Amino acid sequence: MDAPPASGSATGIDRARLEELLAGELERFAESNPGSQQLYERGRGTLLGGVPMSWMAKWAGGFPLFLREASGARIVDVDGHAYVDFCLGDTGAMAGHAPPATVAAVAEQAARGVTTMLPSEDAIVAAEELTGRFGLRGWQFTLSATDANRFAIRLAREVTQRPKILVFDYCYHGTVDETFATLAGDRVVARPGNVGPPVDPALTTKVVQWNDADALEQALAPGDVACVLAEPALTNIGIVLPDPGFHDALRELTRRTGTLLIIDETHTFSAGPGGCTAAWGLEPDLLTIGKAIGGGVPAGAYGVTDDVAERVAARADADYEDVGGIGGTLAGNALSLAAVRATLTEVLTEEAFGRMIPLAARFAVGVADVIENAGLPWHVTELGARAEYRFSATPPRNGAESAAAGDEELERFLHLYALNRGVLMTPFHNMALMSPATSEAGVDRHTEVFTEAVRDVLG
Ligand SMILES: Cc1ncc(COP(=O)(O)O)c(C=O)c1O
């Protein structure tokens, strides 16, 4: 999930033609999805906005498709249309839908009890697996990546006794109050559309541009920042990769100023079995992750280094076990942990990533060829099993540049065009994710549809 892209910034597009094509696609969508439309209308009677979670209304067709079933990289809607799914639940289903090993573990555990407030052995196996992949020990489990980030931030503030956190402009780390901050010039302000912020985010948060080590140095210098919360690469405003050396600077500056570094691998897990942390040799003090690790079953986790674990334990007055602000009644439940264990040990394995990553490369080559042949000033970026195209000639270096390369209308048209032809992209920007069940044929279907969409737009 992320900020809405800027409207109409893609160059070389005839806007009147785009508008006309979009209207045609909307008509086609409505005609071919009567079952989904009917359910949506019925849902409006009792669901806020007609959907169980407000962002489900974001799909490009004006109403969402309703799910009949999903398996592997394939979704079937209630009208019987099948889709190649590159959205994969915005990473929640990176393991593929209903992966057999996870389904079997979940079914077995559900029959033996779901939530008891007692730990299960699966928790230990899951934590051992995470340690093997990411290098940190000292794991805790949550139900979401948002919660993992919230608790990691609390721990960072507790052990450093510092009030602020620092994030990068146009980041997204879940619905974490402190992170809905952006830059207006040099000033920190609330992200546009921020719903009911508890306080002015400038009180809690410093913001700098991604890849700007000088600004980072300045922001950390006063020593009032508990932690930097960062994805290894921005993934929620398109993909914005780190410049060579930026992570070294980030680590050196955080260490020098006694600031903890929290790396959020929720999306960048696509880089490999140990995310970017393993792939790029990062050394976070705390690491957070969620979405994919449970194979679609709600689960998140955060891990800490031995040093942070000692500092956490040393805070004698902090209440970690009851009403101190960390935890959740269902967090660490046996069902989630059975899902995490099965997903990590049997589905999102090293071998699986070995198949997923070349598929993202195939996707990117297909898109890049279309862009080049059409002479469009667009580009495509890969991050392991994830690829994304964006409407600027060169890859942006920070979130603000990437936001400026957004084009809401064009994006909507491309998404809807794909949807009407059996290809499902994430409703947020132009991201495509590969699962262990994704096939070359599925990737090639996207290339075909993208080729036709671009041809139609250019006329
Ligand atoms: C990098 C990152 N961290 C955390 C989250 C929050 O995940 P969830 O909404 O599952 O809590 C997201 C969601 O998109 C994310 O992109």
Side-chain angles (χ1 to χ4, degrees):
M1 296 169 68
D2 70 298
S7 195
S9 59
T11 48
I13 301 296
D14 177 342
R15 307 314 296 193
R17 180 179 176 79
L18 181 61
E19 211 174 295
E20 199 178 306
L21 287 171
L22 179 58
E25 293 300 323
L26 281 165
E27 223 169 277
R28 176 172 171 162
F29 183 80
E31 267 166 26
S32 48
N33 294 290
S36 284
Q37 186 157 26
Q38 224 170 34
L39 285 172
Y40 179 60
E41 292 306 331
R42 180 174 147 209
R44 283 155 71 97
T46 48
L47 295 167
L48 258 187
V51 286
M53 176 41 62
S54 47
W55 45 255
M56 287 186 188
K58 193 174 162 69
W59 293 96
F63 58 89
L65 296 172
F66 274 69
L67 172 71
R68 176 180 292 170
E69 61 190 24
S71 153
R74 184 171 182 269
I75 284 188
V76 180
D77 68 18
V78 292
D79 288 294
H81 308 121
Y83 300 87
V84 185
D85 184 11
F86 292 104
C87 169
L88 294 171
D90 196 29
T91 305
M94 189 170 89
H97 298 290
T102 308
V103 171
V106 165
E108 212 234 324
Q109 185 60 51
R112 293 191 292 124
V114 171
T115 195
T116 60
M117 286 202 97
L118 301 178
S120 58
E121 188 185 349
D122 286 343
I124 299 170
V125 179
E128 287 168 350
E129 187 68 28
L130 290 170
T131 293
R133 289 168 182 239
F134 296 105
L136 300 91
R137 304 192 288 159
W139 291 93
Q140 290 280 280
F141 290 93
T142 61
L143 291 181
S144 68
T146 296
D147 271 355
N149 282 325
R150 288 178 48 233
F151 303 152
I153 288 170
R154 273 185 177 266
L155 289 185
R157 277 200 298 249
E158 178 64 29
V159 303
T160 60
Q161 291 292 291
R162 294 177 177 184
K164 294 210 171 187
I165 76 158
L166 185 144
V167 294
F168 293 98
D169 204 17
Y170 286 95
C171 68
Y172 186 78
H173 296 282
T175 49
V176 178
D177 286 324
E178 294 92 330
T179 61
F180 291 115
T182 189
L183 285 174
D186 285 345
R187 269 185 331 118
V188 174
V189 297
R191 281 283 282 261
N194 193 3
V195 180
V199 293
D200 177 353
L203 296 172
T204 59
T205 309
K206 296 189 183 187
V207 182
V208 300
Q209 290 297 348
W210 182 244
N211 279 325
D212 190 343
D214 292 340
L216 182 66
E217 182 168 19
Q218 259 185 29
L220 296 184
D224 56 352
V225 175
C227 60
V228 172
L229 172 59
E231 285 190 277
L234 299 183
T235 66
N236 284 292
I237 186 75
I239 295 171
V240 187
L241 296 172
D243 284 349
F246 182 65
H247 271 290
D248 293 337
L250 172 59
R251 188 60 278 200
E252 195 277 315
L253 290 168
T254 44
R255 282 208 173 111
R256 194 204 303 164
T257 55
T259 311
L260 293 174
L261 177 60
I262 306 175
I263 289 289
D264 179 349
E265 287 274 15
T266 302
H267 276 183
T268 49
F269 187 23
S270 64
C276 290
T277 295
W280 299 348
L282 308 182
E283 296 178 359
D285 298 301
L286 299 95
L287 184 143
T288 58
I289 190 163
K291 297 200 184 189
I293 59 169
V297 174
Y302 58 98
V304 302
T305 59
D306 291 353
D307 175 54
V308 172
E310 276 168 31
R311 292 169 69 186
V312 166
R315 300 291 307 166
D317 291 340
D319 178 358
Y320 301 119
E321 292 170 5
D322 197 355
V323 291
I326 300 242
T329 309
L330 301 188
N333 73 78
L335 188 75
S336 292
L337 269 306
V340 175
R341 175 186 184 157
T343 305
L344 292 182
T345 59
E346 297 182 64
V347 187
L348 288 174
T349 58
E350 190 158 1
E351 187 267 329
F353 277 97
R355 281 181 286 117
M356 291 149 68
I357 292 171
L359 286 169
R362 187 181 182 98
F363 180 99
V365 166
V367 168
D369 281 351
V370 175
I371 292 173
E372 196 185 323
N373 292 339
L376 284 163
W378 303 355
H379 72 278
V380 57
T381 305
E382 285 168 58
L383 185 54
R386 174 184 300 268
E388 171 139 12
Y389 54 89
R390 200 124 184 107
F391 311 121
S392 62
T394 52
R397 284 193 55 238
N398 61 44
E401 278 180 26
S402 193
D407 188 318
E408 207 168 336
E409 196 179 22
L410 180 57
E411 221 159 74
R412 184 173 189 199
F413 168 74
L414 292 171
H415 288 193
L416 190 55
Y417 194 99
L419 212 51
N420 279 335
R421 290 155 186 81
V423 174
L424 198 140
M425 301 284 285
T426 176
F428 312 104
H429 47 101
N430 306 305
M431 189 275 288
L433 186 62
M434 312 298 141
S435 76
T438 305
S439 66
E440 289 187 352
V443 169
D444 295 346
R445 176 66 191 144
H446 171 270
T447 307
E448 260 169 47
V449 168
F450 185 68
T451 307
E452 288 162 19
V454 167
R455 189 200 56 211
D456 283 3
V457 169
L458 295 182

Short mmCIF file of all heavy atoms in Angstrom, two decimals, residues 38-85:
data_model
loop_
_atom_site.label_atom_id
_atom_site.label_comp_id
_atom_site.label_asym_id
_atom_site.label_seq_id
_atom_site.Cartn_x
_atom_site.Cartn_y
_atom_site.Cartn_z
N GLN A 38 -22.98 -7.36 -8.59
CA GLN A 38 -24.15 -7.63 -7.74
C GLN A 38 -23.73 -7.77 -6.27
O GLN A 38 -24.38 -7.22 -5.37
CB GLN A 38 -24.80 -8.92 -8.20
CG GLN A 38 -26.29 -8.86 -8.30
CD GLN A 38 -26.80 -10.10 -9.00
OE1 GLN A 38 -26.24 -11.20 -8.85
NE2 GLN A 38 -27.85 -9.95 -9.77
N LEU A 39 -22.67 -8.51 -6.05
CA LEU A 39 -22.20 -8.70 -4.67
C LEU A 39 -21.74 -7.37 -4.07
O LEU A 39 -21.97 -7.09 -2.89
CB LEU A 39 -21.07 -9.73 -4.61
CG LEU A 39 -21.51 -11.18 -4.77
CD1 LEU A 39 -20.30 -12.11 -4.89
CD2 LEU A 39 -22.38 -11.61 -3.58
N TYR A 40 -21.09 -6.57 -4.89
CA TYR A 40 -20.64 -5.26 -4.41
C TYR A 40 -21.83 -4.41 -3.99
O TYR A 40 -21.84 -3.81 -2.91
CB TYR A 40 -19.83 -4.58 -5.51
CG TYR A 40 -19.33 -3.20 -5.15
CD1 TYR A 40 -18.48 -3.01 -4.07
CD2 TYR A 40 -19.71 -2.09 -5.90
CE1 TYR A 40 -18.01 -1.74 -3.74
CE2 TYR A 40 -19.24 -0.82 -5.58
CZ TYR A 40 -18.40 -0.66 -4.51
OH TYR A 40 -17.94 0.59 -4.18
N GLU A 41 -22.86 -4.40 -4.84
CA GLU A 41 -24.07 -3.61 -4.50
C GLU A 41 -24.70 -4.13 -3.22
O GLU A 41 -25.08 -3.36 -2.35
CB GLU A 41 -25.09 -3.66 -5.66
CG GLU A 41 -24.65 -2.94 -6.92
CD GLU A 41 -24.23 -1.48 -6.69
OE1 GLU A 41 -24.75 -0.85 -5.76
OE2 GLU A 41 -23.35 -0.99 -7.42
N ARG A 42 -24.76 -5.45 -3.10
CA ARG A 42 -25.34 -6.03 -1.88
C ARG A 42 -24.47 -5.67 -0.65
O ARG A 42 -25.00 -5.29 0.40
CB ARG A 42 -25.43 -7.55 -2.04
CG ARG A 42 -26.01 -8.22 -0.83
CD ARG A 42 -26.21 -9.71 -1.13
NE ARG A 42 -26.00 -10.49 0.07
CZ ARG A 42 -25.56 -11.73 0.10
NH1 ARG A 42 -25.27 -12.36 -1.01
NH2 ARG A 42 -25.43 -12.37 1.24
N GLY A 43 -23.18 -5.75 -0.81
CA GLY A 43 -22.26 -5.45 0.30
C GLY A 43 -22.40 -4.02 0.78
O GLY A 43 -22.16 -3.72 1.96
N ARG A 44 -22.80 -3.13 -0.11
CA ARG A 44 -22.94 -1.72 0.28
C ARG A 44 -24.00 -1.54 1.36
O ARG A 44 -23.99 -0.54 2.07
CB ARG A 44 -23.24 -0.85 -0.94
CG ARG A 44 -21.98 -0.61 -1.77
CD ARG A 44 -22.30 -0.30 -3.21
NE ARG A 44 -22.90 1.02 -3.35
CZ ARG A 44 -22.23 2.12 -3.68
NH1 ARG A 44 -20.94 2.04 -3.89
NH2 ARG A 44 -22.85 3.25 -3.82
N GLY A 45 -24.90 -2.54 1.48
CA GLY A 45 -25.92 -2.45 2.51
C GLY A 45 -25.37 -2.57 3.91
O GLY A 45 -25.90 -1.97 4.85
N THR A 46 -24.29 -3.34 4.07
CA THR A 46 -23.80 -3.62 5.43
C THR A 46 -22.31 -3.42 5.62
O THR A 46 -21.81 -3.44 6.74
CB THR A 46 -24.11 -5.08 5.82
OG1 THR A 46 -23.70 -5.92 4.75
CG2 THR A 46 -25.60 -5.26 6.12
N LEU A 47 -21.57 -3.26 4.52
CA LEU A 47 -20.12 -3.04 4.64
C LEU A 47 -19.83 -1.59 4.32
O LEU A 47 -20.36 -1.07 3.32
CB LEU A 47 -19.36 -3.94 3.65
CG LEU A 47 -19.46 -5.45 3.87
CD1 LEU A 47 -18.93 -6.20 2.63
CD2 LEU A 47 -18.63 -5.86 5.10
N LEU A 48 -19.02 -0.97 5.13
CA LEU A 48 -18.62 0.41 4.83
C LEU A 48 -17.98 0.45 3.46
O LEU A 48 -16.98 -0.24 3.22
CB LEU A 48 -17.55 0.85 5.84
CG LEU A 48 -17.93 1.74 7.01
CD1 LEU A 48 -16.66 2.17 7.76
CD2 LEU A 48 -18.72 2.95 6.56
N GLY A 49 -18.56 1.19 2.55
CA GLY A 49 -17.99 1.30 1.20
C GLY A 49 -18.16 0.03 0.37
O GLY A 49 -17.59 -0.09 -0.70
N GLY A 50 -18.92 -0.95 0.86
CA GLY A 50 -19.21 -2.15 0.08
C GLY A 50 -18.13 -3.23 0.13
O GLY A 50 -18.26 -4.26 -0.52
N VAL A 51 -17.07 -2.99 0.89
CA VAL A 51 -15.96 -3.95 0.97
C VAL A 51 -15.56 -4.16 2.44
O VAL A 51 -15.77 -3.28 3.27
CB VAL A 51 -14.73 -3.43 0.17
CG1 VAL A 51 -14.95 -3.56 -1.32
CG2 VAL A 51 -14.39 -1.98 0.54
N PRO A 52 -14.96 -5.31 2.74
CA PRO A 52 -14.60 -5.57 4.14
C PRO A 52 -13.40 -4.76 4.62
O PRO A 52 -13.19 -4.64 5.83
CB PRO A 52 -14.29 -7.07 4.17
CG PRO A 52 -13.97 -7.43 2.77
CD PRO A 52 -14.75 -6.50 1.89
N MET A 53 -12.59 -4.27 3.74
CA MET A 53 -11.46 -3.40 4.11
C MET A 53 -11.36 -2.34 3.03
O MET A 53 -11.36 -2.66 1.84
CB MET A 53 -10.18 -4.24 4.20
CG MET A 53 -8.90 -3.49 4.48
SD MET A 53 -8.94 -2.14 5.68
CE MET A 53 -9.41 -2.96 7.19
N SER A 54 -11.26 -1.08 3.46
CA SER A 54 -11.49 0.02 2.53
C SER A 54 -10.61 -0.01 1.28
O SER A 54 -11.05 0.37 0.20
CB SER A 54 -11.36 1.36 3.26
OG SER A 54 -10.20 1.37 4.05
N TRP A 55 -9.34 -0.49 1.42
CA TRP A 55 -8.49 -0.46 0.22
C TRP A 55 -8.95 -1.45 -0.85
O TRP A 55 -8.49 -1.40 -1.98
CB TRP A 55 -7.02 -0.62 0.56
CG TRP A 55 -6.67 -1.70 1.54
CD1 TRP A 55 -6.31 -1.52 2.85
CD2 TRP A 55 -6.63 -3.12 1.31
NE1 TRP A 55 -6.06 -2.73 3.44
CE2 TRP A 55 -6.24 -3.73 2.52
CE3 TRP A 55 -6.88 -3.93 0.20
CZ2 TRP A 55 -6.12 -5.10 2.66
CZ3 TRP A 55 -6.74 -5.30 0.33
CH2 TRP A 55 -6.37 -5.87 1.56
N MET A 56 -9.86 -2.36 -0.53
CA MET A 56 -10.36 -3.29 -1.56
C MET A 56 -11.22 -2.57 -2.60
O MET A 56 -11.57 -3.14 -3.63
CB MET A 56 -11.15 -4.41 -0.92
CG MET A 56 -10.29 -5.40 -0.18
SD MET A 56 -11.27 -6.80 0.41
CE MET A 56 -10.07 -7.64 1.42
N ALA A 57 -11.56 -1.30 -2.29
CA ALA A 57 -12.34 -0.53 -3.26
C ALA A 57 -11.42 0.13 -4.29
O ALA A 57 -11.89 0.80 -5.21
CB ALA A 57 -13.16 0.53 -2.53
N LYS A 58 -10.11 -0.07 -4.16
CA LYS A 58 -9.17 0.66 -5.01
C LYS A 58 -9.03 0.05 -6.41
O LYS A 58 -8.43 0.65 -7.29
CB LYS A 58 -7.80 0.71 -4.32
CG LYS A 58 -6.83 1.70 -4.95
CD LYS A 58 -5.55 1.82 -4.16
CE LYS A 58 -4.43 2.44 -4.97
NZ LYS A 58 -4.65 3.85 -5.26
N TRP A 59 -9.55 -1.14 -6.63
CA TRP A 59 -9.37 -1.78 -7.94
C TRP A 59 -9.89 -0.90 -9.08
O TRP A 59 -10.85 -0.16 -8.91
CB TRP A 59 -10.06 -3.14 -7.95
CG TRP A 59 -9.38 -4.10 -7.02
CD1 TRP A 59 -9.73 -4.39 -5.75
CD2 TRP A 59 -8.20 -4.87 -7.29
NE1 TRP A 59 -8.86 -5.31 -5.20
CE2 TRP A 59 -7.91 -5.62 -6.13
CE3 TRP A 59 -7.37 -5.02 -8.40
CZ2 TRP A 59 -6.83 -6.49 -6.04
CZ3 TRP A 59 -6.29 -5.89 -8.32
CH2 TRP A 59 -6.02 -6.60 -7.16
N ALA A 60 -9.26 -1.06 -10.22
CA ALA A 60 -9.42 -0.11 -11.31
C ALA A 60 -10.80 -0.09 -11.97
O ALA A 60 -11.16 0.86 -12.66
CB ALA A 60 -8.36 -0.38 -12.39
N GLY A 61 -11.62 -1.14 -11.76
CA GLY A 61 -12.86 -1.25 -12.52
C GLY A 61 -14.05 -0.50 -11.95
O GLY A 61 -15.13 -0.56 -12.52
N GLY A 62 -13.86 0.16 -10.82
CA GLY A 62 -14.98 0.88 -10.20
C GLY A 62 -15.66 0.05 -9.11
O GLY A 62 -16.28 0.59 -8.21
N PHE A 63 -15.55 -1.26 -9.21
CA PHE A 63 -15.96 -2.15 -8.12
C PHE A 63 -14.98 -3.33 -8.14
O PHE A 63 -14.37 -3.63 -9.17
CB PHE A 63 -17.42 -2.63 -8.28
CG PHE A 63 -17.71 -3.34 -9.57
CD1 PHE A 63 -17.54 -4.72 -9.68
CD2 PHE A 63 -18.14 -2.63 -10.69
CE1 PHE A 63 -17.80 -5.37 -10.87
CE2 PHE A 63 -18.41 -3.28 -11.89
CZ PHE A 63 -18.23 -4.67 -11.98
N PRO A 64 -14.80 -3.99 -7.00
CA PRO A 64 -13.81 -5.07 -6.99
C PRO A 64 -14.37 -6.37 -7.55
O PRO A 64 -15.59 -6.58 -7.53
CB PRO A 64 -13.51 -5.24 -5.49
CG PRO A 64 -14.76 -4.80 -4.80
CD PRO A 64 -15.40 -3.74 -5.68
N LEU A 65 -13.50 -7.20 -8.06
CA LEU A 65 -13.90 -8.57 -8.39
C LEU A 65 -14.08 -9.30 -7.08
O LEU A 65 -13.31 -9.10 -6.15
CB LEU A 65 -12.79 -9.25 -9.20
CG LEU A 65 -12.51 -8.64 -10.57
CD1 LEU A 65 -11.28 -9.27 -11.18
CD2 LEU A 65 -13.72 -8.81 -11.49
N PHE A 66 -15.09 -10.14 -7.00
CA PHE A 66 -15.26 -10.96 -5.80
C PHE A 66 -14.63 -12.33 -6.04
O PHE A 66 -14.72 -12.89 -7.14
CB PHE A 66 -16.74 -11.07 -5.42
CG PHE A 66 -17.20 -9.91 -4.55
CD1 PHE A 66 -17.29 -8.62 -5.07
CD2 PHE A 66 -17.51 -10.11 -3.22
CE1 PHE A 66 -17.69 -7.55 -4.27
CE2 PHE A 66 -17.92 -9.05 -2.41
CZ PHE A 66 -18.00 -7.76 -2.93
N LEU A 67 -13.99 -12.81 -5.03
CA LEU A 67 -13.19 -14.05 -5.12
C LEU A 67 -14.06 -15.30 -5.07
O LEU A 67 -14.93 -15.42 -4.20
CB LEU A 67 -12.20 -14.08 -3.95
CG LEU A 67 -11.40 -15.36 -3.75
CD1 LEU A 67 -10.37 -15.51 -4.86
CD2 LEU A 67 -10.72 -15.36 -2.39
N ARG A 68 -13.82 -16.21 -6.01
CA ARG A 68 -14.39 -17.56 -5.85
C ARG A 68 -13.32 -18.45 -5.23
O ARG A 68 -13.52 -19.06 -4.21
CB ARG A 68 -14.85 -18.12 -7.19
CG ARG A 68 -15.37 -19.57 -7.06
CD ARG A 68 -15.84 -20.15 -8.37
NE ARG A 68 -17.03 -19.49 -8.87
CZ ARG A 68 -17.53 -19.68 -10.09
NH1 ARG A 68 -16.93 -20.50 -10.93
NH2 ARG A 68 -18.62 -19.05 -10.49
N GLU A 69 -12.14 -18.50 -5.86
CA GLU A 69 -11.07 -19.32 -5.27
C GLU A 69 -9.73 -18.90 -5.86
O GLU A 69 -9.66 -18.26 -6.92
CB GLU A 69 -11.31 -20.81 -5.56
CG GLU A 69 -11.32 -21.12 -7.04
CD GLU A 69 -11.79 -22.55 -7.33
OE1 GLU A 69 -12.51 -23.11 -6.50
OE2 GLU A 69 -11.43 -23.05 -8.40
N ALA A 70 -8.68 -19.25 -5.12
CA ALA A 70 -7.34 -18.93 -5.58
C ALA A 70 -6.43 -20.10 -5.26
O ALA A 70 -6.51 -20.69 -4.18
CB ALA A 70 -6.82 -17.67 -4.90
N SER A 71 -5.57 -20.41 -6.21
CA SER A 71 -4.65 -21.54 -6.02
C SER A 71 -3.40 -21.27 -6.86
O SER A 71 -3.49 -20.87 -8.02
CB SER A 71 -5.38 -22.80 -6.46
OG SER A 71 -4.49 -23.76 -6.89
N GLY A 72 -2.24 -21.45 -6.27
CA GLY A 72 -0.98 -21.16 -6.97
C GLY A 72 -0.94 -19.70 -7.37
O GLY A 72 -1.15 -18.81 -6.56
N ALA A 73 -0.72 -19.45 -8.68
CA ALA A 73 -0.67 -18.07 -9.16
C ALA A 73 -1.95 -17.72 -9.91
O ALA A 73 -1.96 -16.83 -10.76
CB ALA A 73 0.55 -17.88 -10.07
N ARG A 74 -3.02 -18.43 -9.60
CA ARG A 74 -4.27 -18.28 -10.35
C ARG A 74 -5.41 -17.93 -9.41
O ARG A 74 -5.56 -18.53 -8.36
CB ARG A 74 -4.55 -19.62 -11.04
CG ARG A 74 -5.73 -19.68 -11.95
CD ARG A 74 -5.68 -21.03 -12.70
NE ARG A 74 -6.77 -21.16 -13.64
CZ ARG A 74 -7.95 -21.69 -13.36
NH1 ARG A 74 -8.20 -22.14 -12.14
NH2 ARG A 74 -8.90 -21.78 -14.29
N ILE A 75 -6.20 -16.93 -9.85
CA ILE A 75 -7.40 -16.53 -9.11
C ILE A 75 -8.60 -16.73 -10.02
O ILE A 75 -8.53 -16.44 -11.22
CB ILE A 75 -7.29 -15.05 -8.67
CG1 ILE A 75 -6.34 -14.92 -7.48
CG2 ILE A 75 -8.66 -14.47 -8.33
CD1 ILE A 75 -6.30 -13.55 -6.85
N VAL A 76 -9.69 -17.22 -9.46
CA VAL A 76 -10.94 -17.30 -10.21
C VAL A 76 -11.98 -16.46 -9.49
O VAL A 76 -12.13 -16.55 -8.27
CB VAL A 76 -11.44 -18.76 -10.33
CG1 VAL A 76 -12.76 -18.82 -11.11
CG2 VAL A 76 -10.39 -19.64 -11.00
N ASP A 77 -12.68 -15.59 -10.24
CA ASP A 77 -13.67 -14.72 -9.61
C ASP A 77 -15.06 -15.36 -9.68
O ASP A 77 -15.23 -16.43 -10.28
CB ASP A 77 -13.63 -13.31 -10.23
CG ASP A 77 -14.12 -13.27 -11.68
OD1 ASP A 77 -14.81 -14.22 -12.12
OD2 ASP A 77 -13.83 -12.29 -12.38
N VAL A 78 -16.03 -14.69 -9.07
CA VAL A 78 -17.37 -15.29 -8.99
C VAL A 78 -18.07 -15.40 -10.35
O VAL A 78 -19.04 -16.13 -10.49
CB VAL A 78 -18.29 -14.52 -8.00
CG1 VAL A 78 -17.81 -14.69 -6.57
CG2 VAL A 78 -18.41 -13.05 -8.38
N ASP A 79 -17.58 -14.65 -11.34
CA ASP A 79 -18.15 -14.78 -12.67
C ASP A 79 -17.45 -15.86 -13.49
O ASP A 79 -17.75 -16.03 -14.68
CB ASP A 79 -18.09 -13.42 -13.40
CG ASP A 79 -19.11 -12.44 -12.81
OD1 ASP A 79 -20.31 -12.68 -12.95
OD2 ASP A 79 -18.69 -11.46 -12.17
N GLY A 80 -16.48 -16.53 -12.85
CA GLY A 80 -15.83 -17.66 -13.51
C GLY A 80 -14.61 -17.29 -14.35
O GLY A 80 -14.03 -18.15 -15.01
N HIS A 81 -14.18 -16.01 -14.31
CA HIS A 81 -12.96 -15.65 -15.06
C HIS A 81 -11.72 -16.06 -14.26
O HIS A 81 -11.69 -15.88 -13.05
CB HIS A 81 -12.88 -14.13 -15.28
CG HIS A 81 -14.11 -13.53 -15.89
ND1 HIS A 81 -14.82 -12.55 -15.27
CD2 HIS A 81 -14.73 -13.80 -17.06
CE1 HIS A 81 -15.86 -12.22 -16.04
NE2 HIS A 81 -15.83 -12.96 -17.12
N ALA A 82 -10.72 -16.56 -14.99
CA ALA A 82 -9.46 -16.93 -14.33
C ALA A 82 -8.40 -15.86 -14.63
O ALA A 82 -8.38 -15.30 -15.74
CB ALA A 82 -8.99 -18.27 -14.84
N TYR A 83 -7.58 -15.57 -13.66
CA TYR A 83 -6.55 -14.54 -13.80
C TYR A 83 -5.18 -15.10 -13.44
O TYR A 83 -5.04 -15.86 -12.48
CB TYR A 83 -6.82 -13.36 -12.85
CG TYR A 83 -8.15 -12.69 -13.11
CD1 TYR A 83 -9.31 -13.17 -12.51
CD2 TYR A 83 -8.25 -11.62 -14.00
CE1 TYR A 83 -10.54 -12.60 -12.78
CE2 TYR A 83 -9.49 -11.05 -14.27
CZ TYR A 83 -10.63 -11.54 -13.66
OH TYR A 83 -11.84 -10.99 -13.93
N VAL A 84 -4.14 -14.66 -14.19
CA VAL A 84 -2.77 -14.87 -13.74
C VAL A 84 -2.52 -13.78 -12.71
O VAL A 84 -2.64 -12.60 -13.02
CB VAL A 84 -1.76 -14.70 -14.91
CG1 VAL A 84 -0.36 -15.05 -14.44
CG2 VAL A 84 -2.16 -15.51 -16.11
N ASP A 85 -2.16 -14.17 -11.51
CA ASP A 85 -2.10 -13.21 -10.41
C ASP A 85 -0.66 -12.76 -10.14
O ASP A 85 0.16 -13.54 -9.64
CB ASP A 85 -2.69 -13.85 -9.15
CG ASP A 85 -2.75 -12.86 -7.99
OD1 ASP A 85 -2.54 -11.65 -8.22
OD2 ASP A 85 -3.00 -13.30 -6.85
#
